[in-house]
Amino acid sequence: MKKKLSVNGVQHTVDVDPSTPLLWVLREQLALTGTKFGCGIAQCGACTVMIDGVPIRSCVLPLASLEGRQVMTIEGLAPSDEKLHPLQQAWIEHQVPQCGYCQSGQLMSAAALLARNPEPTDAEIDGAMQGNICRCGMYGRIRKAIKSAATSRIAQSELHTFDKTDEASDE
Amino acid sequence: MKLHTIITAFLTLALTAASLAKAPSDVDATSSSASEAEALAAWQKVYEVFSHPRCANCHVPEDNIPRWSGPSYGLTQGEWLNHGINITGGESRIGAESIPCMACHQSTNAELPHAPPGAPTWRLAPVEMVWWKKSSQEICQQIKDPKRNGGRSLQEVADHIGHDALVQWGWAPGPGREPAPYSSEEVVNFLESWRVAGAPCPAPTE
């Protein structure tokens, strides 16, 4: 069954069963492999994407529930090919990734946090990031990087979200 | 005047006859007692449902932490855990302050074992409706208090039980979870039997 899907500001048409979780559509239909499969049951956060600005585990989100909603994946987080999102920049500066597998999910949860709360406290960061598990235990660096991005003027002014009016299409 | 006297005398005779007829058998007292006992029995079944993990795990106090309790979690009666990964519903009771409930709980149950359950809305019950670790009498009094039951009459409480999508989830909680006892239709009937009998509350437990 053909379904329309807006990802990173681009309209796609995919032909899959409507019960297919978004993660499989992203990775196998749209070749957006930055979003990772971790546990498959919404327990680890590796597959986190933003739906209308809210962090959601894509491994349990059926495609059927996404009509008219805006999906943002890690591929859409940077404002351009030349410029990273302030969080991505802070991730590099603080050497957050070790194995790196959880990082796209971590970044999407962090981006959603800063979009709604530009200056989070340590407790607010901990609360928002609880659902993203890091096997390498980089939680201290994750918190530092979020604080760093939050306190920079860049982070204040360039938190990136998509507007429906900016949409392109792949058709 | 004469007519008034006749009517008064007639009413006096009638009331006396009625009281004489009642006194020896105590029928009304027995009937009333049976009716209250039936009402309390109906309430007890309602309490059995409201205190079941499918309901009480999310009717939690002001700490805003969903509970994991019941055999679905391998726990025995009285044992419980806080929701995994330090989840809190926050004051919003939908997780808006930290991780939204909807980050994991979608509009339907995920079908894989241990994957999150879902319903069209997913949230903690308002804090004034706390049922977690509350006695039968405490929940009974709360349900009857519009200030603590969402401003509902008892008929509206029954309607809520019969139709609210998240309440209905309690009887269809997905794989690996024990449903709430009875059915929603039965619970609505229990509530109605209890209500028409005067909605008595049980005595406080020690």
Side-chain angles (χ1 to χ4, degrees):
Chain A
M1 181 181 288
K2 289 191 175 180
K3 300 287 284 184
K4 288 195 170 180
L5 179 65
S6 173
V7 181
N8 300 330
V10 178
Q11 275 285 349
H12 300 273
T13 300
V14 293
D15 190 5
V16 295
D17 187 302
S19 66
T20 307
L22 174 62
L23 177 61
W24 276 260
V25 177
L26 293 173
R27 292 182 58 85
E28 296 181 0
Q29 304 292 316
L30 305 182
L32 295 170
T33 54
T35 307
K36 304 303 183 192
F37 174 92
C39 63
I41 53 172
Q43 303 285 316
C44 75
C47 67
T48 303
V49 299
M50 272 197 262
I51 310 294
D52 296 335
V54 177
I56 303 278
R57 315 304 182 220
S58 63
C59 69
V60 293
L61 183 65
L63 183 66
S65 63
L66 288 168
E67 196 160 339
R69 301 173 75 184
Q70 309 290 310
V71 180
M72 186 197 283
T73 68
I74 189 69
E75 289 88 349
L77 191 62
S80 71
D81 287 345
E82 291 75 38
K83 194 169 187 179
L84 293 174
H85 185 283
L87 278 164
Q88 292 171 310
Q89 191 63 49
W91 242 242
I92 293 169
E93 288 165 5
H94 290 272
Q95 298 189 31
V96 175
Q98 295 303 299
C99 85
Y101 197 79
C102 69
Q103 297 306 312
S104 61
Q106 301 276 4
L107 280 162
M108 297 311 286
S109 286
L113 167 65
L114 292 191
R116 71 170 192 277
N117 182 359
E119 293 182 281
T121 63
D122 284 356
E124 287 167 339
I125 292 172
D126 291 348
M129 303 301 293
Q130 290 284 355
N132 290 83
I133 311 302
C134 175
R135 180 70 168 157
C136 305
M138 291 298 105
Y139 301 109
R141 294 187 190 185
I142 288 169
R143 188 203 281 168
K144 276 185 190 169
I146 293 172
K147 294 281 274 192
S148 171
T151 51
S152 74
R153 290 183 64 190
I154 297 171
Q156 303 279 343
S157 61
E158 296 187 11
L159 292 172
H160 188 56
T161 56
F162 279 104
D163 189 302
K164 283 186 181 180
T165 55
D166 295 336
E167 279 191 2
S169 173
D170 68 346
E171 292 174 0
Chain B
M1 199 63 178
K2 190 175 178 183
L3 181 62
H4 177 262
T5 306
I6 292 169
I7 291 171
T8 304
F10 178 78
L11 286 174
T12 304
L13 277 170
L15 288 169
T16 305
S19 68
L20 285 171
K22 276 185 190 176
S25 62
D26 206 21
V27 172
D28 280 359
T30 306
S31 168
S32 170
S33 173
S35 173
E36 179 163 342
E38 286 166 8
L40 287 171
W43 167 258
Q44 187 54 33
K45 290 175 182 170
V46 174
Y47 175 66
E48 198 181 327
V49 175
F50 288 2
S51 58
H52 186 274
R54 291 290 81 72
C55 301
N57 281 357
C58 286
H59 277 256
V60 294
E62 57 274 8
D63 62 16
N64 306 318
I65 299 171
R67 280 10 181 221
W68 284 356
S69 72
S72 312
Y73 296 97
L75 301 171
T76 56
Q77 182 81 26
E79 291 182 330
W80 56 279
L81 301 166
N82 286 339
H83 189 300
I85 53 175
N86 286 335
I87 287 294
T88 169
E91 287 186 17
S92 68
R93 309 286 274 185
I94 58 169
E97 300 88 343
S98 52
I99 302 172
C101 303
M102 65 184 287
C104 301
H105 296 280
Q106 305 304 325
S107 57
T108 55
N109 292 317
E111 293 301 317
L112 293 171
H114 311 294
T121 60
W122 197 268
R123 54 162 300 148
L124 297 178
V127 69
E128 65 272 16
M129 300 182 191
V130 56
W131 293 349
W132 177 254
K133 300 289 183 190
K134 294 293 183 185
S135 70
S136 177
Q137 190 214 30
E138 288 169 320
I139 296 178
C140 181
Q141 289 174 336
Q142 178 261 308
I143 279 296
K144 290 165 63 172
D145 180 359
K147 289 179 183 166
R148 295 187 291 148
N149 75 5
R152 297 180 174 94
S153 67
L154 288 179
Q155 282 172 305
E156 288 168 333
V157 168
D159 187 61
H160 177 68
I161 300 295
H163 295 99
D164 181 84
L166 183 50
V167 175
Q168 292 298 305
W169 170 86
W171 288 282
R177 293 176 205 91
E178 182 183 75
Y182 310 107
S183 66
S184 68
E185 293 81 7
E186 286 176 302
V187 177
V188 168
N189 289 336
F190 298 151
L191 277 166
E192 183 63 6
S193 303
W194 170 68
R195 182 188 70 81
V196 298
C201 286
T205 49
E206 291 300 321

